Amino acid sequence: MDVFSYFNYWVVVVLMMLGFFIVIARGNLVKKLIGLNIFQTSVFILYISIGNVSGGAAPILEEGVALYSNPLPHVLILTAIVVGIATTAVGLALVVRIHAAYDSVEESEILAQDEPC
Amino acid sequence: MLSQLPVLPVLLPLIGAPACALLRRPTLAWVFACLVAVLAFLCTVSLFTTTWQEGVQTYALGGWPSPWGIEYRIDLLNALVLLVVSGIGAAILLASRASVWQEIGETRRGLFYVACLLCLAGLLGIAATGDAFNLFVFLEISSLSTYALVAMGPDRRALLAAYNYLIMGTIGATFILIGIGFLYMLTGTLSMADLGERLPAMGESRTAFAAYAFIVVGVCLKLALFPLHLWLPGAYTRAPSIVTVFLAATSTKVALYVLIRFTYSVFHLEFSQLAQALDTVFIALGVIAVFAGSLVAIFEADLKRGLAYSSVAQIGFMVIGLGIGTVEGLQASLIHLFNHALMKGALFLALAAFILRVGSSNFSSLRGIGRRMPLATAAFVLAGISLIGIPGTAGFISKWYLVLAAAAQQQWILLGLILAGSLLTAVYIWRFVETAYAEPEGDSVIQRNEAPLGMLLVIVLLALLNLYFGFDSRLPVETAGGAAQALLGGDAS
């Protein structure tokens, strides 16, 4: 089945759109960050799927195994995961500060407290 | 030492940042950050002259050669961007003390300089690296530190501006990541030089097209090209004054570099069918950016916000140059990149001085500033004249080359639009001149209260550089010409 052989990529597309939609549509700053995380996670899955070689073993040197999966995308995405965590941390720290300053994490309520910036 | 030169401008601030975090006293942190930035600047000057004389410099990180390891590859384009970023960065850090001491609480001053150094390291890294994924990592280093810097702004709206920037910036960076993933899927390599060799051979692949689309949208978010500019006015207006100078003069320039690098060195779009359609898009968006940005700037009541919109407009000019798609157009775009860093550096730094003395950047409170701070105001006006593009200033050179490039393509309408856009610039600069030299209302006693010496020196220096490069434009013109030739000549070296 063609659809199922690309299962990973379908998941990626669905997650990506879900995350993106949450970022755009939600007014809650924490939910926006969660959406951003889902969006980033979909890209992680995309990279990990790229690394798969059909029939390939895990990329650990061993006798009798000739075909390995490509480990490079995994290593790359390890870096991207760290970046994602850092982004989330900075974002959440900002939300904490915003909450302290405005006493709300709803975008509409915050915007109502100041003239537009 | 000399063989390590390509990596030094990036390594110095990258190692300097954590070292700076160990310093307890804010003054020490400031001195240390300045020292690191000046050293990095000296390295880029040396790197620039070496590249100018000997051609492309390469450096294999960890001794792993190019397609396998990360390679730093410095050609004229990289060298020019490195020079601009590190030069302006060092100048701004040197001038920053008074403004930072006023706007940022005592406990955060040291960390402010740590974030500045990290941001500098990220920007220089983007400009130096020859590896697509490494570029993404440096992009995130610079972006994350920028979010922190913007959030240090004096009032609480800075937090929201930083948050919005974080959301938009992360979407942009993730788009770039997706694009790079597609490229890796297609070619199995991440080195830009290697990608540049393999991609054209693939023909008109749909994956390559998707990759390019993702990367362009991602980079344009960072570049704040209209209509993806929404984060920029908020972030520029609410950030601490010094951060605004830093962002306006460096980070959009680096984003433009990334766009140029991917378009011409990685995808080689000059050979592609797509190029025609894309040029139209870039020119259209650039023209809209020029007019929308300038018009908003004209009616803005706050000078800082007005200048932020003016940045959107100037980015439009650079993208128009890119969209013209010839060697001349690209050259004009790069010259404007160089000159705009000088202009906006001087403008925003003078504005930082006004804010330091007046406490606000509203036009109403800037009345009579020309008498209170004659030198800083004169520098502001000089840089403003350069922004308009009056002959004798650096701005004239970039507008002149842009007009020539449009004329060479016989795009007369575009030429007219460029000139009209420049006239709009004159309107908002004139508005400042009128306010600055107007009689202040109420009490007539005006005390001269110039900016602190260190700040004033840098402001005047940047303004004079605008004048200098208006008369002796060999450095930007020849470098940009060489870089544009190398990019479009199909000659990858």
Side-chain angles (χ1 to χ4, degrees), chain B residues 159-191:
Chain B
L159 296 170
L160 207 61
Y163 181 86
N164 285 336
Y165 185 19
L166 180 134
I167 297 286
M168 298 250 211
T170 308
I171 291 174
T174 311
F175 268 39
I176 295 173
L177 186 63
I178 298 171
I180 293 172
F182 281 158
L183 287 183
Y184 182 73
M185 253 165 140
L186 204 60
T187 59
T189 179
L190 287 167
S191 151

Side-chain angles (χ1 to χ4, degrees), chain B residues 12-76:
Chain B
L12 280 171
L14 196 62
I15 297 172
C20 190
L22 296 176
L23 299 172
R24 285 297 168 94
R25 301 253 307 273
T27 313
L28 270 180
W30 170 66
V31 171
F32 183 76
C34 288
L35 189 72
V36 170
V38 169
L39 277 177
F41 175 59
L42 293 178
C43 287
T44 51
V45 170
S46 155
L47 185 60
F48 183 83
T49 42
T50 324
T51 314
W52 181 250
Q53 284 156 359
E54 296 169 21
V56 180
Q57 302 286 311
T58 58
Y59 180 87
L61 279 183
W64 297 92
S66 169
W68 294 282
I70 293 169
E71 184 193 43
Y72 279 17
R73 189 183 179 82
I74 314 289
D75 62 11
L76 273 180

Side-chain angles (χ1 to χ4, degrees), chain B residues 206-237:
Chain B
R206 192 175 286 179
T207 315
F209 180 61
Y212 184 70
F214 271 115
I215 290 176
V216 165
V217 174
V219 175
C220 285
L221 258 169
K222 289 279 173 196
L223 178 64
L225 175 63
F226 184 92
L228 303 170
H229 68 284
L230 293 171
W231 60 268
L232 187 142
Y236 278 24
T237 315

Side-chain angles (χ1 to χ4, degrees), chain B residues 378-395:
Chain B
F380 187 100
V381 172
L382 186 60
I385 287 172
S386 178
L387 192 70
I388 303 169
I390 307 277
T393 57

Side-chain angles (χ1 to χ4, degrees), chain B residues 286-475:
Chain B
V287 169
I288 298 173
V290 167
F291 280 89
S294 302
L295 283 174
V296 177
I298 288 171
F299 293 107
E300 192 54 62
D302 185 286
L303 184 59
K304 203 175 176 190
R305 210 170 158 76
L307 283 182
Y309 275 105
S310 144
S311 275
V312 174
Q314 300 299 319
I315 290 161
F317 279 120
M318 293 177 222
V319 173
I320 290 175
L322 179 65
I324 290 173
T326 55
V327 173
E328 290 81 21
L330 199 56
Q331 186 185 11
S333 183
L334 291 173
I335 297 172
H336 198 48
L337 182 155
F338 181 89
N339 290 338
H340 183 245
L342 293 177
M343 299 168 204
K344 270 290 151 57
L347 285 172
F348 271 119
L349 201 57
L351 183 65
F354 299 157
I355 294 174
L356 182 69
R357 288 295 184 234
V358 181
S360 154
S361 55
N362 254 315
F363 269 106
S364 53
S365 53
L366 288 176
R367 277 181 75 88
I369 194 79
R371 289 148 201 263
R372 287 184 66 180
M373 308 172 70
L375 276 173
T377 311
F380 187 100
V381 172
L382 186 60
I385 287 172
S386 178
L387 192 70
I388 303 169
I390 307 277
T393 57
F396 172 70
I397 306 292
S398 33
K399 295 279 164 61
W400 175 248
Y401 275 88
L402 197 58
V403 165
L404 280 188
Q409 292 296 0
Q410 310 202 320
Q411 298 187 342
W412 306 115
I413 301 174
L414 180 63
L415 198 154
L417 289 172
I418 294 170
L419 293 177
S422 303
L423 286 180
L424 287 180
T425 317
V427 176
Y428 58 78
I429 294 299
W430 176 248
R431 197 171 151 220
F432 171 79
V433 174
E434 218 170 22
T435 320
Y437 292 103
E439 289 289 336
E441 288 153 4
D443 65 290
S444 53
V445 187
I446 301 165
Q447 285 187 323
R448 241 188 101 156
N449 193 4
E450 257 319 337
L453 188 66
M455 202 169 184
L456 191 64
L457 277 179
V458 176
I459 296 171
V460 171
L461 175 75
L462 284 175
L464 288 180
L465 279 178
N466 272 304
L467 211 55
Y468 175 78
F469 284 115
F471 287 104
D472 179 10
S473 57
R474 279 172 302 176
L475 170 72

